[in-house]
Amino acid sequence: MPELPEVQNFVNALNKSYAGLKIKEIQFHRENLRYPFQKKELFKIFSQGNFFQRCYREGKQMVLETSQGSVHVSLGMSGSFKPILSKSLEKHQHVSLYFENGEGLAYVDPRRFGFWIIKQEIDSETSSCDPLNKNELEILFLSEEVMQKRVTVKDLLMDQKIIGGIGNIYAVEALFHAKISPLKLCYEVSLQKWKDLAQVIPQILEQAIHLGGSSISTYRSLNGNKGSFQDVHQVYGRESQACLKNDCKGTIKRIVQKGRSTWFCSLCQKN
Ligand SMILES: [Zn+2]
């Protein structure tokens, strides 16, 4: 599933390749993804002569902005953007956006959990706290509300209504780096550990953005490259392997929390 760094990489790539281009046409090759396409509105936003102004990220969603309005795009489980290089549609290509200069951009999504929705109608999946912002995270973590919560710290990190876009990979990696057990309830986490967590989350996400994200299943960047953050995963997917922290003799364990796997070192993530 594309998480924040993967989404940010598409945002950067779309801005680099397409910002400022004049739109020729948009085509939809089916009626719906997770939700039906609002075609009337989308045709207006992407009508001929409009400019593709920019793309930006809100939580794990992308916002595509033209001179006539904006659309929120969620990549869902398997969505991605690719340059259109031939006239024939590729498998699972659901949207084609063409520009006056001859270039084209495809939205491809095998599992179709993604969506394109007009900006004003969105609210549920965007949250106020940006996980790339250490100060915002610290304010959130040190708030009375969070410090008294009786949910696990892993569940807190995964709650998209509270923090937009951390997701499973980066949640387990952040807890490892901050040396916090994923089983800890929020009210059991010390002040210092919350501060550590606020510090490591943006560092890990920035590193992942820099490395092009994590390619653990189908994710490819716009130019078809795999990200390489998975090469530096410390715990994610490493069940039964040795802990990579210096001097730690622990083994990585896997447990399931709210239906998702969590990997952690039971020795250095005791607290
Ligand atoms: Zn360890």
Side-chain angles (χ1 to χ4, degrees), residues 176 243-245 248-252 265-269:
F176 175 76
C243 176
L244 294 173
K245 276 241 154 73
C248 179
K249 300 267 186 285
T251 304
I252 304 305
C265 172
S266 55
L267 278 189
C268 56
Q269 287 176 267

Side-chain angles (χ1 to χ4, degrees), residues 6 37 70 74-75 83 95 127 144 149 153 195 219 255 261:
E6 292 80 62
F37 286 117
S70 307
S74 164
L75 302 175
V95 184
S127 67
E144 211 166 306
K149 264 193 189 304
V153 60
K195 287 185 178 174
Y219 168 76
I255 55 171
S261 288

Side-chain angles (χ1 to χ4, degrees), residues 12-28:
N12 296 347
L14 260 55
N15 279 328
K16 196 170 163 210
S17 299
Y18 305 103
L21 293 186
K22 202 183 245 190
I23 292 163
K24 185 170 177 226
E25 159 180 41
I26 194 166
Q27 294 175 359
F28 299 93

Side-chain angles (χ1 to χ4, degrees), residues 69-164:
S70 307
V71 57
H72 273 248
V73 175
S74 164
L75 302 175
M77 303 288 285
S78 57
S80 65
F81 284 93
K82 293 180 178 179
I84 295 174
L85 302 171
S86 86
K87 283 213 166 93
S88 53
L89 290 185
E90 87 167 78
K91 216 174 171 191
H92 309 298
Q93 179 174 339
H94 307 308
V95 184
S96 305
L97 178 60
Y98 294 98
F99 299 96
E100 292 280 6
N101 72 350
E103 292 188 57
L105 178 65
Y107 177 78
V108 178
D109 190 347
R111 298 185 64 183
R112 302 199 305 263
F113 280 102
F115 59 76
W116 287 50
I117 268 191
I118 307 302
K119 191 172 171 18
Q120 298 86 282
E121 297 176 16
I122 275 285
D123 56 35
S124 60
E125 286 200 27
T126 51
S127 67
S128 55
C129 185
D130 179 0
L132 286 175
N133 186 321
K134 182 192 161 218
N135 292 337
E136 280 187 27
L137 284 171
E138 203 167 293
I139 290 166
L140 173 73
F141 290 158
L142 300 184
S143 68
E144 211 166 306
E145 195 204 337
V146 165
M147 290 187 76
Q148 291 180 352
K149 264 193 189 304
R150 290 178 175 267
V151 300
T152 66
V153 60
K154 163 93 187 291
D155 290 342
L156 178 91
L157 295 185
M158 297 287 287
D159 188 337
Q160 300 298 308
K161 290 192 195 80
I162 298 178
I163 311 170

